[in-house]
Amino acid sequence: MPEPLGNELPVSIEDEMRSSYLDYAMSVIIGRALPDVRDGLKPVHRRVLYSMHELSNTYNRAHKKSARIVGDVIGKYHPHGDSAVYDTIVRMAQNFSMREVLIDGQGNFGSIDGDSAAAMRYTEVRMSRIASELLADLDKNTVDYVPNYDETQQEPLVLPGKFPNLLVNGASGIAVGMATNIPPHNLNEVIELALRVLDNPDVPLNEVMDLVPGPDFPTGAFLYGRKGLYDAYSTGRGIVYLRARTAIEEVRRDRQAIIIYELPYQVNKARLIEKIADHVRQKRITGISDLRDESDRKGMRVVIELKRGEQPQIVLNTLFKLTSMQSSFGINLLAIVDGQPRVLPLKEVISLFLKHRREVVRRRTQFDLEKAEKRAHILEGLQKALDHLGAIIKLIRGSADPEEAKRGLISGFEFTERQAQAILEMRLQRLTGLERGKIASEHNQLKETIKDLEKILNEEEELKGVIREELLKIQSNYATPRRTEIIDTEVDLSIEDLIAEEQMVITASRNGYIKRTSLSTYRSQHRGGKGRIGMSTRTEEDLIDYLFVASTHAYILIFTAKGKLHWLKVWRLPEVSTVGKGKPIINMIQIDKGDRVAGIIAVHDFDTPAQVVMASRMGYIKKTPLNAFSHPRANGIIACTVGDDDELMRVMLDKDDQEIMLFSLMGKAIRFTGNQVRSMGRVSRGVRGIRLKKKDQLVGMAAVDLEKVQLLTVTRKGYGKRTPVSEYRAQGRGGQGVINISTSKRNGNVVKSLLVSDDSEIIIITESGKIIRMGVDQIRLVKSRNSMGVKLMDLKGRDRVADVSVLELEEEPPGEIVEDEA
């Protein structure tokens, strides 16, 4: 063990580590990673621009090799690796990284595809014109200087900065325990805000956001998220979302393509294309047939060609969900203020910039004033000398040396030392009359200049006027249109946005199984055909009870026999083939034990003025506004009250107080005007719609439609008839109705009655699960209400019709005849 030297001090390793780490952290924070709020630059950026300024590498001079600049920066001011400095130069020259580039580059400075810049020995640079505005008046003692790392040079602590560069070009950096991420903004908007804050430091946030609605990225694209912007501009932190600018174009006669024109900020185009291709290979994105990059020097153009029949919006939503075509940007307005890192609201960033400009303009004005006063002082001496020219010449001629002459001028004529020196250095040509006049004129002008400069220093409004004038000049010289478009709505991609909208056949069994199958699976057949399988069931265990056609994006309102309501989206139902069984409804909604589904209707929008009409087995009917059902709970809500000996049987939508028809099991029908049923709340029972005999019950309900003026009734044994609605006279609500169809032994009881037109198509489903689709025009139109009807479907054994539904389609192509299927 070495002998102690006698001058050691005991030091706690914990204290030493804490002190050393804090020193290191502050060094990184202040000297490397974070920008200064005044000029918006980190030390390396500032040193690059200052070094270019020192080399006269300005916008109006020839370019210089990048290596020359890098060498000067690391040799004089920035003792770090040359790659760090060159990377800084490269970024400052990239028009897709900087909103206003600070370096005018010549050569390969990389691309939005992530290509690296050429080596610094190949590229050339000079300051851009707008960068010169950051260094303007640097030689007028406007900012403080500090020694460089080896104290052989002086470098500016901050640049004068005539515009708010921190907001215009933004900044990003990771320090120790903190990070900054400031997005670029539009120069015109930022200066408008600066002008407003200059006049009114207490401008409210809503006016701030009117002037600067949001960031303006060099790559354009769309920005979503007003809340994120509000948070960022009011507190300094917030998250916004960016989306690529796209368009849907026809690339061939039967093909569409998604064209990408602009990408979110800092998204690598080549990597994005690779990611899309990978998603297509992994089958996470379907519907894309080709992917190519057609970008050129005119702009970006990435073509995503779709397969035939694909819905472009669905594919586009999937791309937003799975790729960087949609990305988030976490705004963190963290900058160095008075040597300390601070998170700043937007207005405070501008206020601190204006405070800096006040200081710069004062120091510049003071510098110009002192210079003008020195010059005026000399001119006063020259004028005085011209008034005593003969005596002064005689004194100078009689002096042994300049020092004696200077002393003589000071003592004999009361000149100051500076005036005496100027007189001795005056050229003879200044003795002419013309030159005498110039001296007098210059002196008068200087007195006016001095008066103006003193006014700026002494009057706040004059100082603000100078700042305002300079900001307006920057605005007129450099303002460009906004590139990023701000969308007021929030980004909210639900699963529904990724699902194509198409017509689905919804099938439900009596035992509570439900499914959806694409309507395109079922093609039209002739009347009397055997149909095809619509759901796999066992006759002894289950029967098909319900059939419905709705869009995948529709809401399905499920009404139960006990008067409760539940709702689902159609796309949440299991999509199963025609022979599949589906999924139990009780696994999807909470139906009470002993209850069952009584009706299902499809709704796209709850804000429409439609009414939900409900009819019970005992013939009661009620109306309730649709919007009363827009907020159901997990265990359902009450849709109507039903008696102990009654249950809800049918449900439909009524939009215009249409005439209503009710149909009974034993072939009775009643028609009455809709205004006879008043609108009621959810918990009411309703009023009597039809008076039924003991063993009869309600089986159907319909709203009379002027375009569907025929009534189609289908019986349990597969027979049906089509009759004009005009054959059913209007009655008062609550009567016994009239005969609709004969319910003989051949026909069986009524399954359902529907309003149709000549162009309608229907789907009939049997208890064993067979489905047939046919055109209504295949069923003969008869005017007798009491007729037997014709056979619609050939039933085998004990199979019976379970349900019938009308297909609500527009411009449906004619169906094809298909072979009968078991």
Side-chain angles (χ1 to χ4, degrees), residues 56-188:
S56 296
N57 189 205
T58 53
Y59 73 94
N60 52 0
R61 302 287 183 90
H63 290 77
K64 293 184 186 295
K65 285 287 185 183
S66 299
R68 171 78 183 279
I69 310 302
V70 172
D72 246 44
V73 172
I74 63 177
K76 293 181 178 180
Y77 311 113
H78 200 70
H80 299 280
D82 59 353
S83 61
V85 176
Y86 185 52
D87 288 348
T88 298
I89 291 173
V90 167
R91 189 177 184 280
M92 292 168 76
Q94 291 174 335
N95 60 7
F96 52 87
S97 295
M98 305 285 285
R99 185 60 180 83
E100 302 292 341
V101 292
L102 300 179
I103 288 180
D104 176 14
Q106 199 165 260
N108 175 20
F109 282 87
S111 71
I112 200 169
D113 286 323
D115 300 319
S116 299
M120 58 184 170
R121 63 182 178 274
Y122 298 120
T123 60
E124 296 180 342
V125 293
R126 66 182 178 187
M127 271 196 293
S128 67
R129 188 181 173 198
I130 196 170
S132 65
E133 306 290 357
L134 291 175
L135 295 107
D137 305 319
L138 194 59
D139 56 348
K140 292 188 175 183
N141 192 34
T142 49
V143 294
D144 293 332
Y145 280 72
V146 292
N148 69 339
Y149 65 93
D150 62 359
E151 299 189 353
T152 60
Q153 304 276 338
Q154 292 283 310
E155 62 174 313
L157 192 61
V158 67
L159 297 183
K162 281 192 174 182
F163 63 93
N165 182 59
L166 183 66
L167 291 177
V168 171
N169 278 316
S172 63
I174 300 173
V176 178
M178 59 186 68
T180 186
N181 201 30
I182 302 172
H185 292 76
N186 185 272
L187 176 71
N188 182 59

Side-chain angles (χ1 to χ4, degrees), residues 298-350:
K298 294 179 181 178
M300 184 185 298
R301 182 181 168 87
V302 177
V303 180
I304 304 172
E305 195 169 316
L306 306 182
K307 293 177 182 177
R308 185 181 294 108
E310 287 293 329
Q311 294 188 29
Q313 193 58 50
I314 299 299
V315 177
L316 184 58
N317 287 340
T318 307
L319 289 168
F320 287 143
K321 190 81 172 178
L322 298 180
T323 73
S324 54
M325 283 176 64
Q326 176 179 305
S327 63
S328 62
F329 189 98
I331 299 174
N332 190 14
L333 296 173
L334 177 70
I336 301 298
V337 181
D338 297 328
Q340 299 292 326
R342 278 180 56 194
V343 177
L344 303 164
L346 181 67
K347 189 177 74 172
E348 192 169 354
V349 174
I350 291 294

Side-chain angles (χ1 to χ4, degrees), residues 341-503:
R342 278 180 56 194
V343 177
L344 303 164
L346 181 67
K347 189 177 74 172
E348 192 169 354
V349 174
I350 291 294
S351 297
L352 289 167
F353 164 76
L354 291 173
K355 179 182 176 184
H356 172 59
R357 283 306 296 166
R358 281 186 172 89
E359 180 66 19
V360 167
V361 173
R362 279 197 185 98
R363 292 179 64 161
R364 182 187 68 195
T365 304
Q366 187 63 45
F367 179 88
D368 289 339
L369 177 61
E370 290 173 1
K371 185 178 177 182
E373 286 176 339
K374 287 176 184 177
R375 179 61 179 164
H377 180 63
I378 289 171
L379 290 175
E380 287 171 2
L382 293 180
Q383 286 182 313
K384 184 178 178 181
L386 292 174
D387 292 338
H388 304 84
L389 186 56
I392 289 174
I393 292 174
K394 183 178 178 181
L395 186 149
I396 294 172
R397 288 179 63 184
S399 300
D401 53 41
E403 281 302 316
E404 184 181 339
K406 184 190 292 187
R407 288 194 298 271
L409 289 171
I410 293 172
S411 61
F413 297 92
E414 297 182 348
F415 288 116
T416 64
E417 186 173 346
R418 189 177 296 160
Q419 287 174 330
Q421 185 64 39
I423 291 168
L424 292 174
E425 293 174 355
M426 184 173 62
R427 298 171 64 181
L428 291 175
Q429 73 175 29
R430 304 299 298 272
L431 303 178
T432 64
L434 181 61
E435 288 296 320
R436 290 170 64 113
K438 285 184 178 179
I439 291 171
S441 176
E442 184 183 353
H443 186 241
N444 291 332
Q445 288 178 4
L446 274 175
K447 285 194 291 186
E448 290 298 319
T449 301
I450 290 169
K451 190 185 298 181
D452 292 341
L453 294 173
E454 287 175 340
K455 200 172 181 182
I456 292 170
L457 289 173
N458 297 325
E459 296 181 19
E460 178 66 17
E461 285 303 315
E462 288 294 321
L463 179 66
K464 286 165 61 175
V466 173
I467 296 172
R468 183 182 297 105
E469 186 179 340
E470 291 179 351
L471 286 171
L472 289 170
K473 189 174 181 182
I474 292 285
Q475 187 181 44
S476 64
N477 288 339
Y478 303 104
T480 55
R482 166 172 278 277
R483 297 178 190 173
T484 299
E485 188 173 339
I486 298 175
I487 307 299
D488 288 338
T489 57
E490 300 291 325
V491 168
D492 185 19
L493 271 181
S494 64
I495 298 175
E496 183 177 324
D497 295 319
L498 311 179
I499 296 171
E501 185 165 10
E502 60 176 317
Q503 294 282 66

Side-chain angles (χ1 to χ4, degrees), residues 712-732:
L712 173 68
T713 300
V714 181
T715 65
R716 186 70 66 190
K717 293 186 178 181
Y719 287 84
K721 75 177 184 74
R722 186 164 59 115
T723 308
V725 172
S726 58
E727 294 295 314
Y728 300 82
R729 60 183 176 83
Q731 299 178 258

